[in-house]
């Protein structure tokens, strides 16, 4: 079973709308990271949130972490066609465990 | 700083052969982790090396091995290749050991025929 499991598996929205993706994990963690991957290429680091943090922002990205529910969410505001990609969360203590990702499609 | 580099980018092998993949971490990073990505299984952790020592290992058979050199560059070896080993192999580097901020390379696409 996966440590980080993203939900939904796929998401399709119009340009300008907000996109929200969720991630759940099973055990205690030190950090949780979100990544973007375009068409089978490498993962691009988006944001890291530590277990003692509840919310972080980076540009149009907002990440929340709820350790009591073992879940995190990634919000992309004012989405653009260029945001079309797969998004992964990796959660862990001494190593990261990833899920299978959320495939986001932003329609122009 | 230059990012994480992986060579080769693409590789085609046949069953039974062996393969070696290389990863150069970001300058100053001492930890290298390897992952296998397949459409059905997502990203799966293979192992992590820090200061030339394997620190953590995922649930992969002994055919998958690795090493790290004194300059932090790492290699991953897969022996007796199977069709199911076809995947994108990603390495990630971080400054320290364990689950700190990790930066990924572009990956090596391995196809086993």
């Amino acid at each position: 079973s996966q440590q980080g499991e993203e939900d939904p598996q796929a998401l399709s929205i119009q340009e300008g709308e907000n996109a929200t993706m969720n991630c759940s994990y099973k055990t205690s963690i030190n950090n949780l990271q979100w990544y973007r991957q375009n068409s089978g290429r490498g993962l691009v680091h988006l944001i890291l949130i530590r277990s003692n943090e509840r919310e972080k922002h980076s540009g149009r990205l907002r990440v929340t972490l709820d350790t009591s529910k073992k879940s995190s969410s990634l919000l992309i505001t004012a989405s653009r066609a260029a945001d079309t990609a797969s998004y992964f969360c990796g959660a862990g203590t001494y190593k990261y465990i990833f899920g299978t990702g959320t495939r986001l499609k932003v329609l122009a | 700083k230059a990012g994480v580099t992986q060579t080769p980018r693409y590789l085609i092998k046949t069953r039974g052969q062996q393969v070696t993949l290389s990863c150069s971490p970001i300058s100053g990073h001492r930890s290298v982790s390897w992952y296998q990505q397949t459409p059905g299984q997502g990203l799966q952790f293979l192992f992590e090396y820090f200061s030339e020592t394997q620190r953590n290992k995922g649930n992969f058979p002994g055919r998958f091995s690795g090493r790290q050199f004194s300059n932090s560059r790492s290699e991953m070896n897969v022996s007796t290749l199977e069709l199911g080993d076809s995947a994108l192999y990603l390495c990630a580097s971080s400054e320290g050991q364990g689950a700190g901020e990790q930066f990924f390379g572009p990956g090596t696409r391995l196809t086993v025929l």
Side-chain angles (χ1 to χ4, degrees):
Chain A
S1 60
Q2 300 290 344
Q3 169 77 310
E5 295 196 20
E6 297 87 354
D7 170 64
Q9 290 188 331
L11 182 60
S12 186
I13 60 173
Q14 295 291 325
E15 206 167 29
E17 293 180 337
N18 295 342
T20 300
M21 287 157 269
N22 301 298
C23 168
S24 60
Y25 56 92
K26 292 179 169 55
T27 63
S28 297
I29 63 169
N30 287 345
N31 302 313
L32 186 145
Q33 300 190 99
W34 284 93
Y35 291 86
R36 182 185 75 235
Q37 185 179 39
N38 293 86
S39 302
R41 297 182 182 176
L43 275 69
V44 174
H45 185 267
L46 296 177
I47 201 164
L48 178 148
I49 187 165
R50 303 188 190 284
S51 59
N52 61 353
E53 297 175 312
R54 292 297 167 257
E55 187 171 313
K56 282 189 86 168
H57 296 257
S58 178
R60 294 184 295 112
L61 307 179
R62 172 177 169 254
V63 168
T64 62
L65 179 64
D66 187 335
T67 52
S68 66
K69 294 181 180 178
K70 292 186 169 55
S71 67
S72 173
S73 68
L74 169 67
L75 169 67
I76 304 174
T77 60
S79 63
R80 306 166 181 167
D83 295 327
T84 294
S86 291
Y87 292 81
F88 294 85
C89 74
T93 51
Y94 58 90
K95 64 181 181 182
Y96 286 109
I97 305 297
F98 289 81
T100 53
T102 291
R103 294 186 307 280
L104 173 65
K105 188 169 185 178
V106 181
L107 304 170
Chain B
K1 283 183 181 179
V4 179
T5 58
Q6 291 186 245
T7 57
R9 293 292 309 278
Y10 301 91
L11 208 47
I12 299 176
K13 292 285 187 179
T14 56
R15 280 180 298 175
Q17 288 187 310
Q18 74 164 15
V19 67
T20 299
L21 313 180
S22 179
C23 172
S24 293
I26 292 170
S27 178
H29 284 194
R30 296 169 61 194
S31 173
V32 173
S33 297
W34 288 90
Y35 294 85
Q36 180 195 66
Q37 186 179 28
T38 57
Q41 297 295 318
L43 273 92
Q44 292 191 292
F45 174 78
L46 281 155
F47 28 65
E48 179 197 11
Y49 285 88
F50 178 80
S51 293
E52 302 177 64
T53 302
Q54 187 181 90
R55 303 291 178 161
N56 297 295
K57 190 176 188 306
N59 295 324
F60 279 82
R63 300 185 297 108
F64 292 82
S65 63
R67 59 178 175 168
Q68 186 179 36
F69 302 95
S70 58
N71 62 357
S72 295
R73 189 177 70 85
S74 176
E75 287 183 347
M76 191 192 91
N77 185 276
V78 187
S79 63
T80 319
L81 284 166
E82 301 177 358
L83 295 179
D85 297 333
S86 293
L88 180 67
Y89 290 88
L90 295 157
C91 81
S93 80
S94 58
E95 284 188 14
Q97 180 187 348
E101 201 165 25
Q102 284 189 344
F103 298 90
F104 281 80
T108 294
R109 173 74 63 183
L110 172 65
T111 301
V112 182
L113 303 176

